[in-house]
Amino acid sequence: KFRLKGYENAEKVILAGSFNKWNRDAFQLTKGENGWEITLQLRPDVYQYKFIVDDEWIEDPANPSKTEYEFGGYNSLIEVQTNVHFKLYGFHEAEHVILAGDFNDWSESNCEMIKTEKGWTYSVRLTGGKYHYKFIVDGVWMTDPYNKVREYDGHGNINSVRMVR
């Protein structure tokens, strides 16, 4: 949900960004009691955007997350995340299972998995993209035996790969 407070006297407010190729006609906001708003369903990713208030492009004043753009000035940033569920089936005799990956700087303690009837599980919020990961089962690092998508990491290691879209 994108909201722009104020601008009661504006005639038209548009939302444009990297999610719609900066189309200045696609997403017109609706005027409400507290300002303007629109709800979009976006895939997990990091997007840049601006509001167009009566043909004037402005950053989102309520969002401190910004990035400099090539023509000078700033675009607002929004990071859309989704819950990603990692599962390791089996390993019922294991004492501790950790999920480690590039999304948590390969932490050996940060993402302790939860034991279930079928194995182990852990959920983490991620933006869209490609992620490398491994499981640490009682101190032993291993790729995901149920995920055949693997890549070298450039340091001599093979990791499991998870795509988030």
Side-chain angles (χ1 to χ4, degrees):
K1 190 168 269 205
F2 291 85
R3 291 189 176 111
L4 179 63
K5 291 191 177 196
Y7 297 91
E8 297 86 15
N9 297 326
E11 291 184 26
K12 186 164 132 181
V13 176
I14 304 291
L15 176 66
S18 56
F19 44 79
N20 71 353
K21 298 182 182 176
W22 299 96
N23 184 330
R24 57 183 331 182
D25 299 314
F27 298 129
Q28 184 168 338
L29 281 71
T30 304
K31 190 172 186 177
E33 291 180 18
N34 295 322
W36 300 81
E37 68 179 41
I38 189 170
T39 301
L40 302 179
Q41 287 188 338
L42 299 174
R43 287 183 173 189
D45 208 342
V46 178
Y47 299 99
Q48 298 182 34
Y49 70 97
K50 280 194 169 182
F51 294 111
I52 308 170
V53 180
D54 294 334
D55 290 324
E56 181 183 342
W57 293 70
I58 66 166
E59 302 163 24
D60 185 344
N63 183 355
S65 183
K66 302 184 186 327
T67 187
E68 196 169 353
Y69 73 100
E70 61 195 67
F71 302 112
Y74 293 89
N75 291 330
S76 298
L77 286 177
I78 185 169
E79 184 175 346
V80 179
Q81 296 183 325
T82 190
N83 281 327
V84 179
H85 307 287
F86 289 87
K87 295 178 182 176
L88 176 62
Y89 295 103
F91 296 88
H92 299 291
E93 294 79 28
E95 299 271 330
H96 290 82
V97 178
I98 304 293
L99 171 65
D102 50 12
F103 48 83
N104 69 0
D105 292 325
W106 298 97
S107 171
E108 296 182 40
S109 61
N110 200 15
C111 298
E112 189 167 340
M113 298 184 78
I114 298 166
K115 196 172 200 175
T116 68
E117 288 181 11
K118 295 182 179 180
W120 299 82
T121 185
Y122 190 86
S123 295
V124 61
R125 292 190 59 75
L126 298 173
T127 57
K130 178 171 69 173
Y131 296 93
H132 287 197
Y133 71 98
K134 281 188 173 176
F135 299 115
I136 309 171
V137 180
D138 291 336
V140 178
W141 290 72
M142 61 179 284
T143 56
D144 186 341
Y146 294 96
N147 179 0
K148 300 302 178 199
V149 182
R150 298 181 180 147
E151 287 184 350
Y152 285 99
D153 65 2
H155 302 286
N157 301 306
I158 299 174
N159 301 310
S160 295
V161 176
R162 179 76 178 261
M163 296 300 294
V164 177
R165 294 187 176 134

